[in-house]
Amino acid sequence: SMSLREHALSLFRSAVDTVRPAPMLKRAVKLQGDGCPQLLVKGQAFPVKRDLYLVGFGKAVLGMAAAAEEILGEHLVRGIISVPLGIQESLQRAGMQEMLLKPDSKIQVIEGAKNNLPDPEALKGAVAIQELAEGLTVDNLLLVLISGGGSALLPAPIPPILLKEKEKLTKMLASRGAAIQELNIVRKTLSLLKGGGLARLAYPARVVSLILSDVIGDPLDVIASGPTAASSHSVQDCLQILAKYNLLHHLPKSVETVLSSSPTKPTALEDYSHVCNIIIGSNTLALDEAKRQAEGLGYATLILSAAICGEVSRVATLYCQLIRLVCLGFAGLREGTLSDEVRGNLLQLAAELEIPGLNLAEFLQALRGLGPERPVCILAGGETTVQLQGTGKGGRNQELALRVGLGLHRAQAVETSSPLGRCEIVFLSGGTDGQDGPTEAAGAFCSPELVDEALQEGLSAEAFLSNSDSYTFFSQFQGGHHLLVTGLTGTNVMDIQAILIRA
């Protein structure tokens, strides 16, 4: 029989495979008919009257473009994509040929945005994409491929603003504590292509956007700053943010010029009737596939949420309490003061974390309905945040896994005859892009036993955590067997967590 760790690994792999660029595109997009061909996207039909063009930007777009070119064949006239610096070389090195364009491709690749920051190369890519869009006619179809990281790869400040002026303003806002949402509103307002700009420039051509979401809740106007989605913000919003951080009187002349001449109302929705935005990959899709696989392996499976967010230690506490509740259920203690106490803790934690769309009461009800005879699998996804302390090496997934293992180990130590000790538990957290922090791991597996074994070898999980050094903990131990190492996956739909419990 496979170990829980092997099961967890196979669930993670199947979740990631389902949102890899090629299978994802081939599921969503078909080209049909010869006389009057049609592009079918998730059941919607778009006639290909004349020429089909393609543009794209984002970390997963190279693989998406390779698959799209294969599907579109000779209907594709020309394409331009803006992708992260060095990505072709790293995919080549990783032996991921299927993510690379063929030598005779009609798609031009521009690499830029070193360290995920807009730079002159990314600007060159944005200008080329802008020129292609502006030249389209009513008979053309523009296919737009978008994935996370697209924002830095599509910088095109409205003239006369220079890239470095826009950068400087963004940095000033960030240093004064502006939230990422506020930064994005300001960036979009000063950009030609973001906030629906690309779609407006491509008019009257038909625009179909295929989007791989790396943002909680899949908001179209936030992913890659929404180049093909109507922006819900106006110049007024931008001015309010600049006022809030006392920057109105410190603006470059060019920014003042643009802000004073911009229309005050957001563009009307009817100006987007030529656009169709379709999410073809997301954390939810990945979790659904993992659930299917887990059920196939015999687990009673529940998805907690695809929008897990918040400080990593609070999220770890939430998972520890959930695991305690499942183990109490296995021990036949589903009703009783201890279970009630754990449920109370959970409801309070969930209220504090404010996870979008999480109905915990409903989830706990479903958990109660599970019979004691099958092992349990709880799946979740999203993105936690880590406050770095110390000089260690790690990432949010490795830290979350270690914190859950430690929390369970502590709970077992306190409750000597605890049902926790009678359950076999594995917790896995991993980044779907294959990278967690500045390490070659995507995440890690952890269990209370691991923390115990480490203690016996004189390694304290607490000490590693207080130095943000989860990677070193896992790699020193059992030859790094508990690190999740997948290599680059060429996709990204945030993180995935799996809790596997066997009585």
Side-chain angles (χ1 to χ4, degrees):
S1 87
M2 281 165 81
S3 69
L4 290 189
R5 182 186 172 282
E6 286 165 329
H7 279 170
L9 178 60
S10 116
L11 296 180
F12 182 79
R13 289 229 156 105
S14 65
V16 171
D17 283 343
T18 202
V19 289
R20 277 187 200 268
M24 191 175 64
L25 245 105
K26 287 174 182 156
R27 270 201 318 273
V29 182
K30 311 246 181 307
L31 193 68
Q32 204 183 38
D34 302 320
C36 177
Q38 285 189 319
L39 190 66
L40 289 179
V41 184
K42 280 200 157 177
Q44 298 188 57
F46 303 95
V48 180
K49 292 182 198 147
R50 274 205 28 226
D51 298 338
L52 217 157
Y53 293 87
L54 178 149
V55 297
F57 28 88
K59 294 179 180 178
V61 156
L62 190 63
M64 288 167 80
E69 185 161 32
E70 207 176 297
I71 297 165
L72 302 173
E74 67 271 21
H75 291 286
L76 179 65
V77 181
R78 182 170 164 239
I80 301 170
I81 57 174
S82 175
V83 297
L85 188 68
I87 190 164
Q88 294 178 95
E89 195 196 332
S90 35
L91 290 172
Q92 192 94 49
R93 269 206 317 270
M96 294 170 78
Q97 266 3 80
E98 76 282 1
M99 299 260 185
L100 296 167
L101 296 168
K102 303 277 186 288
D104 59 349
S105 171
K106 292 178 188 157
I107 300 171
Q108 178 193 353
V109 180
I110 299 173
E111 294 191 356
K114 191 179 177 186
N115 301 328
N116 206 15
L117 294 166
D119 58 13
E121 285 309 300
L123 181 61
K124 200 176 98 185
V127 168
I129 286 173
Q130 178 194 338
E131 287 170 354
L132 185 148
E134 285 174 333
L136 300 176
T137 68
V138 71
D139 286 334
N140 298 148
L141 182 60
L142 178 66
L143 197 60
V144 184
L145 308 176
I146 301 177
S147 78
S151 197
L153 288 160
L154 202 69
I158 298 171
I161 302 173
L162 301 172
L163 185 59
K164 54 175 188 286
E165 292 177 319
K166 189 173 154 186
E167 278 310 277
K168 193 175 156 199
L169 179 59
T170 310
K171 283 205 181 95
M172 275 161 65
L173 272 167
S175 70
R176 294 183 180 202
I180 183 74
Q181 291 83 351
E182 295 176 312
L183 291 176
N184 283 340
I185 291 171
V186 173
R187 271 192 208 130
K188 277 201 289 201
T189 312
L190 303 177
S191 165
L192 269 175
L193 300 175
K194 295 178 175 137
L198 177 62
R200 291 197 300 275
L201 289 178
Y203 183 85
R206 187 78 225 218
V207 178
V208 180
S209 278
L210 307 179
I211 301 166
L212 176 64
S213 169
D214 68 334
V215 183
I216 283 176
D218 310 335
L220 291 173
D221 64 334
V222 177
I223 303 161
S225 301
T228 58
S231 172
S232 42
H233 303 106
S234 66
V235 171
Q236 287 328 108
D237 298 317
C238 177
L239 291 168
Q240 268 172 346
I241 292 163
L242 294 170
K244 176 177 167 184
Y245 296 102
N246 297 324
L247 285 172
L248 278 180
H249 304 295
H250 307 279
L251 296 176
K253 203 92 218 98
S254 59
V255 173
E256 282 184 12
T257 307
V258 166
L259 287 174
S260 60
S261 62
S262 298
T264 47
K265 290 205 294 295
T267 316
L269 277 170
E270 58 266 21
D271 291 354
Y272 293 91
S273 56
H274 64 299
V275 185
C276 185
N277 287 304
I278 301 167
I279 302 245
I280 62 167
S282 66
N283 191 276
T284 303
L285 279 167
L287 289 176
D288 287 342
E289 179 56 27
K291 178 175 197 253
R292 243 173 41 93
Q293 299 285 338
E295 285 172 342
L297 290 167
Y299 288 85
T301 309
L302 293 173
I303 294 177
L304 177 66
S305 163
I308 296 290
C309 54
E311 219 284 305
V312 67
S313 58
R314 314 288 297 143
V315 175
T317 310
L318 179 82
Y319 286 145
C320 287
Q321 298 286 354
L322 265 180
I323 292 166
R324 283 182 67 196
L325 196 58
V326 174
C327 293
L328 286 166
F330 276 143
L333 303 170
R334 195 160 281 160
E335 307 308 325
T337 46
L338 197 51
S339 282
D340 289 345
E341 183 193 321
V342 174
R343 269 195 285 270
N345 292 347
L346 276 167
L347 289 164
Q348 192 183 336
L349 264 170
E352 285 167 26
L353 281 166
E354 295 184 346
I355 292 163
L358 171 61
N359 183 340
L360 190 67
E362 200 175 289
F363 180 84
L364 294 178
Q365 202 51 48
L367 203 54
R368 267 186 165 146
L370 300 181
E373 56 292 327
R374 280 161 71 202
V376 168
C377 169
I378 296 174
L379 297 165
E383 207 164 281
T384 57
T385 44
V386 175
Q387 302 291 322
L388 285 179
Q389 16 179 359
T391 53
K393 203 170 162 192
R396 57 180 186 248
N397 288 290
Q398 294 161 78
E399 174 152 338
L400 180 59
L402 187 50
R403 283 186 183 278
V404 170
L406 177 62
L408 293 172
H409 181 259
R410 281 181 183 155
Q412 276 182 5
V414 177
E415 308 167 17
T416 35
S417 62
S418 146
L420 268 177
R422 296 199 288 277
C423 284
E424 192 189 345
I425 302 160
V426 163
F427 177 84
L428 160 72
S429 188
T432 54
D433 58 356
Q435 288 175 304
D436 185 40
T439 74
E440 85 280 9
F445 304 86
C446 203
S447 63
E449 288 73 43
L450 184 68
V451 175
D452 200 43
E453 280 171 51
L455 270 178
Q456 283 160 22
E457 290 186 28
L459 296 176
S460 145
E462 275 108 328
F464 283 93
L465 283 169
S466 63
N467 192 28
S468 293
D469 204 14
S470 50
Y471 173 78
T472 309
F473 175 90
F474 287 116
S475 49
Q476 282 200 5
F477 202 62
Q478 294 190 351
H481 175 70
H482 292 272
L483 285 169
L484 169 67
V485 181
T486 60
L488 277 180
T489 62
T491 191
N492 178 20
V493 294
M494 302 182 289
D495 304 333
I496 282 180
Q497 282 102 40
I499 300 169
L500 275 58
I501 308 172
R502 250 193 321 224

